[in-house]
């Protein structure tokens, strides 16, 4: 496994850890409060559809990164593999990495946007603020969303490595080397 392959594997491990951390922090986060002296209210990730979708998307992205990590270790790219057949696989890996990054980032952004209603409320729709009552739940969800953005950053770097692995087939032999005078 080359230097780029080791870096890609290292980044995939970090992305997987942050994706699993995000899914677990959101998925297992609950808080129960007694409201109005008799009504028991339990806040979970299922109360907000964006958090529910985030858990499933981050879990799927973590599984995808694990599969790609096993591919990095079981089938490292050598000089002999750099044929036109590998070019098609490189296109597939590049497109899958791009799709994974965009979907994880979009799910995180949707969860942040939906969570802002829990923080600020919406008086015109008569939605009350929930984070002033469920502070631990909201804090843990906020930390999880931050972890999700870190995972998105790691996956974006992985996607750029995947782009490098693809587009080196279409470049001269000395790709990204500065020309001497």
């Amino acid at each position: 496994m080359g230097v780029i392959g080791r870096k890609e594997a290292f980044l995939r491990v970090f992305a997987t850890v942050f994706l699993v951390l995000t899914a677990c922090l959101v998925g297992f986060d609950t808080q129960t409060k007694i409201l109005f002296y008799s009504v028991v209210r339990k806040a979970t990730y299922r109360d907000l559809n964006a958090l529910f979708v985030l858990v499933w998307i981050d879990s799927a992205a973590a599984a995808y990164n694990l599969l790609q990590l096993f591919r990095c270790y079981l089938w490292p790219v050598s000089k002999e593999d750099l044929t036109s057949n590998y070019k098609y696989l490189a296109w597939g890996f590049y497109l899958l990495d791009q799709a994974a990054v965009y979907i994880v980032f979009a799910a995180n952004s949707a969860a942040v946007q939906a969570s802002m209603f829990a923080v600020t409320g919406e008086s015109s729709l008569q939605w009350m603020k929930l984070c002033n009552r469920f502070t631990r739940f909201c804090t843990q969800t906020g930390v999880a969303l931050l972890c999700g953005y870190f995972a998105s950053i790691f996956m974006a770097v992985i996607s750029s490595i995947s782009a490098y692995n693809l587009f080196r087939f279409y470049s001269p032999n000395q790709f990204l080397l500065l020309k001497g005078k």
Side-chain angles (χ1 to χ4, degrees):
M1 182 181 297
V3 174
I4 293 176
R6 282 193 297 264
K7 288 180 182 179
E8 180 183 356
F10 182 73
L11 288 169
R12 284 196 190 276
V13 167
F14 269 114
T16 303
V17 166
F18 277 106
L19 287 166
V20 168
L21 188 62
T22 300
C24 288
L25 282 174
V26 172
F28 295 127
D29 188 14
T30 60
Q31 187 176 3
T32 305
K33 288 279 187 169
I34 298 176
L35 304 174
F36 306 117
Y37 302 109
S38 64
V39 177
V40 176
R41 176 73 173 110
K42 185 176 185 179
T44 65
Y45 75 101
R46 292 179 186 259
D47 294 337
L48 198 57
N49 288 338
L51 293 178
F52 182 76
V53 170
L54 177 72
V55 169
W56 285 103
I57 285 177
D58 282 356
S59 300
Y64 166 74
N65 276 315
L66 277 178
L67 288 174
Q68 287 286 28
L69 186 64
F70 289 136
R71 183 211 32 104
C72 287
Y73 282 116
L74 295 178
W75 187 36
V77 178
S78 62
K79 296 278 188 192
E80 295 82 30
D81 290 334
L82 298 178
T83 62
S84 63
N85 292 336
Y86 184 76
K87 187 187 317 184
Y88 300 117
L89 285 175
W91 269 107
F93 297 148
Y94 170 70
L95 292 174
L96 285 173
D97 285 340
Q98 286 285 312
V101 170
Y102 287 128
I103 289 171
V104 168
F105 183 76
N108 246 351
S109 297
V112 166
Q113 182 181 9
S115 296
M116 286 308 295
F117 283 122
V119 173
T120 61
E122 183 61 45
S123 60
S124 63
L125 297 174
Q126 297 180 354
W127 291 345
M128 64 180 200
K129 297 178 187 179
L130 293 176
C131 284
N132 59 354
R133 297 189 194 282
F134 299 102
T135 55
R136 186 188 53 79
F137 176 80
C138 290
T139 303
Q140 189 168 336
T141 301
V143 170
L145 293 174
L146 185 65
C147 290
Y149 277 118
F150 282 131
S152 296
I153 291 169
F154 285 130
M155 290 175 64
V157 175
I158 291 167
S159 181
S160 67
I161 291 172
S162 182
Y164 171 78
N165 287 333
L166 170 66
F167 292 121
R168 68 181 173 173
F169 290 114
Y170 299 102
S171 297
N173 291 337
Q174 298 180 355
F175 184 60
L176 292 179
L177 292 178
L178 298 175
K179 293 181 179 179
K181 291 185 179 183

